[in-house]
Structures are given as C-alpha cells and as structure tokens.
Amino acid sequence: GGAAMIDQALEKPSAGAAHLTKLAKAETVALWHAVNWMENVLHEWKREGFKDDQDLAQHEVQRHILTTAKRALRKVNKIRKEQRT
C-alpha cells in the first residue's frame, strides 16, 4: 500500500549506477505527494486571504512554480513508464 511505497522511497539506493538513474514508482509517487501538498498549501493560503499585495504576488510566484512542477512530473511519469519497456 501507500506506507510500503513511502518506506521504499525512503530507502537508501543500493550500489549500481543503473539503480541510481532508474526511476522507481515509489519515487514518482512521493514526488506527486509533495506537489499535491504544495497545491493544498497554496489553496489554503488563498482561502485565508492575502495580507497585502506582496503576499498576493508571492502566491502568484508559487502558483507558477506549482504549474511547472506538475508539468515536470508528467514528464517524469512518462519517463518512468518508458523505462519499463
């Protein structure tokens, strides 16, 4: 389940260059969880309201980072799936 994937993602990589560069499903799942956490934080930040224009501007910067991270994760997931073949 999820806990096993988290444990697997936290394991130190064993010897072998191929293992170090090959993406494991647990690693991509962990990245998705991190991006989802960021999305939740930004949602709560917006829900609570912005203190001032600077706070709003910082939120917008973080939204752009989130969008870029989501795009990158879709690429990472595609790379992982391509590694299986």
Side-chain angles (χ1 to χ4, degrees):
M5 282 188 176
I6 292 169
D7 289 343
Q8 188 179 2
L10 295 175
E11 286 178 9
K12 291 189 178 182
S14 59
H19 180 76
L20 295 176
T21 57
K22 190 170 183 181
L23 285 163
K25 182 176 181 181
E27 291 170 321
T28 57
V29 169
L31 288 171
W32 276 109
H33 282 285
V35 169
N36 285 335
W37 178 83
M38 181 181 186
E39 187 169 34
N40 290 336
V41 168
L42 290 175
H43 178 74
E44 286 301 308
W45 185 359
K46 184 177 181 179
R47 194 180 62 77
E48 291 175 7
F50 305 114
K51 294 181 285 186
D52 51 32
D53 288 344
Q54 187 176 359
D55 198 38
L56 173 60
Q58 186 58 39
H59 184 272
E60 285 302 309
V61 168
Q62 295 302 317
R63 285 293 307 174
H64 287 293
I65 292 170
L66 175 63
T67 300
T68 302
K70 284 181 165 184
R71 193 174 302 124
L73 269 173
R74 284 190 287 274
K75 290 179 183 178
V76 166
N77 214 34
K78 186 176 180 189
I79 289 166
R80 184 186 61 78
K81 287 178 181 177
E82 287 171 356
Q83 287 177 349
R84 293 188 301 203
T85 58

